[in-house]
Each structure stands twice: as C-alpha cells, then as structure tokens.
Amino acid sequence: MVQPIKHTLSVLVEDEIGVLSRISGLFARRSFNIDSLAVGPTETGGVSRIIMVVLGDQRTVEQITKQLYKLINVLKIDDVTFTPSVERELLLLKINCHEDSRSSIMEIVNIFRAKVVDLAEKILIIEITGDPGKIAAFESIIKKFGVIETARTGKISLTRSSEVNSEFLKNLA
C-alpha cells in the first residue's frame, strides 16, 4: 500500500470574489483536508496564487487536480512536491520572558536569525521566517520558556529557476 505524503500544490486562480470559497467547498465535499493554505496576489494583475499542502498519495492528488481544473476560475495547477523549490513560513510566537531567561532566549533568537518584534516586561513576541524544518526546530527549542500564543502562516513556495535541489545539497554537507 502506498503511504500518503504531504503534497504542495501551487494553484493560479483568477482574483475574483468567491474563488477560495469554491475551492474549499470542493475539498469539503470530497472529504479532503487542507493542511496548510496561503493566498496572495501574483506579479500579474487579477491573478492570485494559492499554495496548499494536502495529504495524499499520487492518485488522490491527481483526483484533486482534476476536480480543481473543473472550477472556472482555476488557471493552472502545479504539484511542486518533488520540484526544487524555495519554501518559507512565517511564525509569530508570544513567550514568557523573565529576567533570568532573557539572555538564553536572545541567544536562541540570534542563532535562528529570528527577531524580537515586541517587548513587554515579562513577554516577548518573536518573528521567524524559514523553511518548515527551521520553524519546527525553533518551536521545539523555544517551547521550554512557555509559549503563550502562536500565529503561523501556511507554506509559500516558488520553484527554483536554477533547478538546484537544496535538499540534495544538504545531504552532501
């Protein structure tokens, strides 16, 4: 049996009212779940890019793609899961920060190239941007200080024009 994996789909749509609603309705009717969703305008006026992460095998993703193409406002769909890409997420994290832990927190923030965007007497808000692995690593290390609240974007992605697969390069190091 084929194990489902997380697929990243890049969907170009006409920027019109109700497009996202129709897409999410399609997923709900078919009992597909969207793990992550990010929507924004593209370099072309009137066109938006939706990056969605869905769990499924290749057959399921092909079925999703066929269903999406039936929607009138969908222009193009690319499964970029195995394509060399630049992927990023943004995390805002509100944590407890007492005087005795402040220097440790700042050291972790600096190592991960994150930044403090708000400071109160006993609370920090930290912003970090990076690939999903970097975000997960940061969260696992910083949680010991007491996470109060988080807000995280969905994954965004663009394929690499150089076609260099940085995942492959990581294995060489």
Side-chain angles (χ1 to χ4, degrees):
M1 182 172 140
V2 177
Q3 289 285 43
I5 63 167
K6 289 187 177 186
H7 287 263
T8 303
L9 301 179
S10 176
V11 183
L12 293 178
V13 298
E14 294 174 354
D15 189 8
E16 293 187 10
I17 295 172
V19 173
L20 187 57
S21 177
R22 285 191 289 283
I23 289 173
S24 62
L26 181 147
F27 275 75
R29 286 190 303 279
R30 305 282 188 286
S31 296
F32 295 137
N33 188 41
I34 299 172
D35 286 352
S36 170
L37 183 69
V39 184
T42 65
E43 68 287 350
T44 305
V47 176
S48 290
R49 181 181 313 276
I50 300 172
I51 303 291
M52 60 178 74
V53 177
V54 296
L55 182 66
D57 57 22
Q58 193 60 39
R59 185 176 163 274
T60 302
V61 172
E62 288 170 5
Q63 183 181 6
I64 290 169
T65 300
K66 287 177 185 174
Q67 294 297 320
L68 284 170
Y69 268 125
K70 289 181 181 179
L71 298 176
I72 193 162
N73 301 107
V74 173
L75 304 172
K76 183 179 179 190
I77 305 166
D78 288 316
D79 182 352
V80 298
T81 307
F82 302 110
T83 305
S85 302
V86 175
E87 300 176 341
R88 294 291 182 265
E89 291 185 18
L90 168 71
L91 171 68
L92 292 176
L93 186 82
K94 186 185 289 186
I95 63 168
N96 291 314
C97 180
H98 303 287
E99 232 177 273
D100 58 332
S101 62
R102 186 164 286 150
S103 63
S104 297
I105 292 170
M106 291 309 298
E107 187 175 336
I108 294 167
V109 165
N110 289 332
I111 288 169
F112 279 88
R113 290 188 233 145
K115 58 185 165 183
V116 174
V117 293
D118 188 53
L119 171 65
E121 189 175 329
K122 295 181 181 175
I123 295 175
L124 289 177
I125 297 179
I126 300 167
E127 172 188 317
I128 183 167
T129 306
D131 64 62
K134 176 183 177 181
I135 302 294
F138 181 77
E139 279 184 301
S140 71
I141 291 172
I142 207 80
K143 71 181 177 187
K144 68 182 177 189
F145 297 103
V147 175
I148 298 168
E149 193 175 2
T150 63
R152 188 171 178 171
T153 65
K155 182 185 347 182
I156 57 172
S157 177
L158 287 176
T159 58
R160 291 182 182 271
S161 298
S162 66
E163 298 181 3
V164 173
N165 186 344
S166 60
E167 291 301 313
F168 174 74
L169 294 175
K170 286 179 188 175
N171 294 330
L172 294 176

